Each structure stands twice: as C-alpha cells, then as structure tokens.
Amino acid sequence: QAKAIFKNKSYPFTKLLNQNEELTSVFDVDSLPNNYVIDQNGKLVFTQYGAADWTSPQVTELITGLLAEPGS
C-alpha cells in the first residue's frame, strides 16, 4: 500500500520502506506500523508507534519547522 501512495504523489522528503526488514533491528521495531522523522542532521526527532496522524497540529508544526530549516 505504501508504495502505491508514494508512487502517485511527490513528497519533499526521503521515504524508506523496509521491504527486506533491514531497518527492523536498527530501530528495534517490535510492532507495526512505526513512523520516524529524522532531521537533516540525522537526529531522530519524531517517533510514533502505531498509526500517525500526519495532520495533527503537533506533527504539522514539527514538519513545517524542519522544512523551513536552512538546507532543507
């Protein structure tokens, strides 16, 4: 499902789909879905276990702020 969503829409950020489960051990994933936002410096700035509400005020503010940073 995620592939289809990303294929039909353009997003200004990198998407990682864990098809080979390589990231499972890196992020210690034990449930699905898991959502992570990593800033341009490689710092984990948001984690949501379970479905994320990407339209919530908190998440919208976080993403907007990250996109406004120099180098974004």
Side-chain angles (χ1 to χ4, degrees):
Q1 271 185 331
K3 265 188 172 180
I5 291 168
F6 289 133
K7 182 179 179 182
N8 295 324
K9 217 160 188 197
S10 175
Y11 295 96
F13 51 82
T14 302
K15 289 85 52 193
L16 299 174
L17 301 176
N18 192 30
Q19 297 174 350
N20 299 325
E21 298 186 19
E22 296 167 357
L23 297 174
T24 302
S25 62
V26 172
F27 288 105
D28 194 25
V29 173
D30 61 0
S31 65
L32 294 174
N34 290 321
N35 303 275
Y36 305 97
V37 175
I38 302 169
D39 71 11
Q40 64 185 348
N41 298 311
K43 179 181 175 190
L44 182 63
V45 295
F46 175 82
T47 303
Q48 172 68 45
Y49 301 107
D53 179 2
W54 295 103
T55 61
S56 73
Q58 296 87 354
V59 175
T60 302
E61 184 177 326
L62 171 72
I63 301 285
T64 301
L66 290 170
L67 291 173
E69 290 180 359
S72 297

